[in-house]
Amino acid sequence: KFGLILQWFGSTGAMVFGGVVPYVPQYRHIRRSQNAEGFSTYVCLVLLVANILRILFRFGRYFETVLLWQSIVMICTMLVMLNLCTNVRMASELSTKRRSFIDGKDEEIRVPKRLFLDFEWNYFWLWSRFMDYMQCVLAFTLVAAYMTYLLLDSTLFVETLGFLAVFTEAMLGTPQLYCNYQNKSTEGMSVKMVLMWTSGDTFKTVYFLLTQAPVQFWTCGLLQVLVDFAILFQVYYYSRYPQKPAPHTVSHTTSAKAL
């Protein structure tokens, strides 16, 4: 009996915290290199939207509490990642400005602030302060919660909400996939993170199947695993067939090699 209890706590802990473990090496890499260019912050956007929708879905259709806690922990983790990436990016932009010279003197220019409340679509999710990301997340949560409250009795709405939650999460790797494609390189991206994505998504999909979770969960889990393998293929392809020359010098703003 004691062994079963330990096994239950082990599987529960793996489900709740297993999803955030892949971001530990990426977080350490960004802090060490002081460069966040290799990591797409749209990954954070995807996971924030997906987990907020999943929490709202639970009001219309019950699922295991462990999945609820998984969403809460993931939301907190993505906010921590966003805070780090925003600080690193703004420090890098400010440093670049200060290295400009006019008449032999440093040019002290303030980096233009991009704010959420400016409602400029060109700068969406590229804001200058972490507070702007918080404002956006809060606004989305309030609007989505209000719509859920109004349409909670609609089976079609609830099922659509559940599908959007897991489908959005299934698209988790696509911003990173596109970022790698644009850069023609996976430099700056933690390979450990992607390997952990793959193992975690595989475990999660099997868990959904064994616990008979709603069909939206395991079908989108399979799609997520496919995207993970596509990113791993990029790692292999761009390392074997480099698309751009490697930098000759390394500075504090240059991306370090992927972990």
Side-chain angles (χ1 to χ4, degrees), residues 46-228:
V46 168
L47 280 175
L48 285 168
V49 171
N51 285 282
I52 290 169
L53 293 180
R54 184 198 281 186
I55 292 173
L56 295 176
F57 175 56
R58 194 172 190 265
F59 288 98
R61 184 171 177 182
Y62 178 83
F63 54 79
E64 289 193 359
T65 305
V66 63
L67 298 179
L68 174 64
W69 280 108
Q70 182 192 58
S71 293
I72 294 172
V73 170
M74 183 60 74
I75 288 172
C76 294
T77 303
M78 290 302 100
L79 292 176
V80 170
M81 289 293 295
L82 271 177
N83 186 38
L84 174 65
C85 291
T86 304
N87 291 337
V88 168
R89 188 180 72 246
M90 293 310 298
S92 177
E93 289 184 12
L94 185 60
S95 177
T96 301
K97 289 286 185 181
R98 285 177 174 172
R99 284 199 303 271
S100 299
F101 289 91
I102 294 182
D103 297 328
K105 295 182 179 180
D106 288 339
E107 180 189 5
E108 294 293 338
I109 302 177
R110 290 187 177 183
V111 177
K113 288 189 176 182
R114 302 182 290 271
L115 308 179
F116 167 67
L117 294 178
D118 289 340
F119 300 112
E120 293 187 31
W121 180 252
N122 290 335
Y123 296 125
F124 177 77
W125 214 250
L126 296 171
W127 301 305
S128 303
R129 306 176 306 172
F130 174 66
M131 182 58 64
D132 293 286
Y133 293 95
M134 289 293 296
Q135 291 172 353
C136 179
V137 170
L138 181 61
F140 173 78
T141 303
L142 291 175
V143 172
Y146 183 66
M147 290 181 61
T148 303
Y149 173 76
L150 293 179
L151 301 171
L152 195 59
D153 294 331
S154 170
T155 304
L156 177 61
F157 174 80
V158 172
E159 293 300 324
T160 302
L161 185 66
F163 174 78
L164 288 176
V166 291
F167 182 75
T168 304
E169 185 175 358
M171 294 294 101
L172 161 67
T174 53
Q176 190 64 56
L177 189 73
Y178 183 67
C179 179
N180 296 340
Y181 173 75
Q182 276 192 316
N183 295 336
K184 303 299 182 184
S185 170
T186 57
E187 184 181 0
M189 181 197 73
S190 172
V191 179
K192 287 182 180 178
M193 178 186 72
V194 182
L195 289 172
M196 290 179 183
W197 275 357
T198 308
S199 59
D201 292 338
T202 302
F203 172 81
K204 182 173 62 178
T205 304
V206 172
Y207 180 88
F208 290 155
L209 289 169
L210 293 178
T211 57
Q212 297 182 340
V215 64
Q216 298 102 320
F217 282 74
W218 61 263
T219 52
C220 290
L222 290 173
L223 178 59
Q224 206 166 349
V225 172
L226 292 176
V227 174
D228 294 340

Side-chain angles (χ1 to χ4, degrees), residues 26-41:
Q26 185 68 66
Y27 182 90
R28 293 178 61 191
H29 172 70
I30 293 173
R31 286 203 65 177
R32 185 174 65 249
S33 66
Q34 286 299 295
N35 190 308
E37 292 180 3
F39 176 73
S40 174
T41 54

Side-chain angles (χ1 to χ4, degrees), residues 12-30:
T12 300
M15 281 300 298
V16 173
F17 297 103
V20 306
V21 172
Y23 298 96
V24 174
Q26 185 68 66
Y27 182 90
R28 293 178 61 191
H29 172 70
I30 293 173

Side-chain angles (χ1 to χ4, degrees), residues 221-241:
L222 290 173
L223 178 59
Q224 206 166 349
V225 172
L226 292 176
V227 174
D228 294 340
F229 276 108
I231 297 176
L232 289 175
F233 176 75
Q234 284 184 322
V235 174
Y236 164 77
Y237 182 81
Y238 289 134
S239 62
R240 190 173 179 85
Y241 306 103

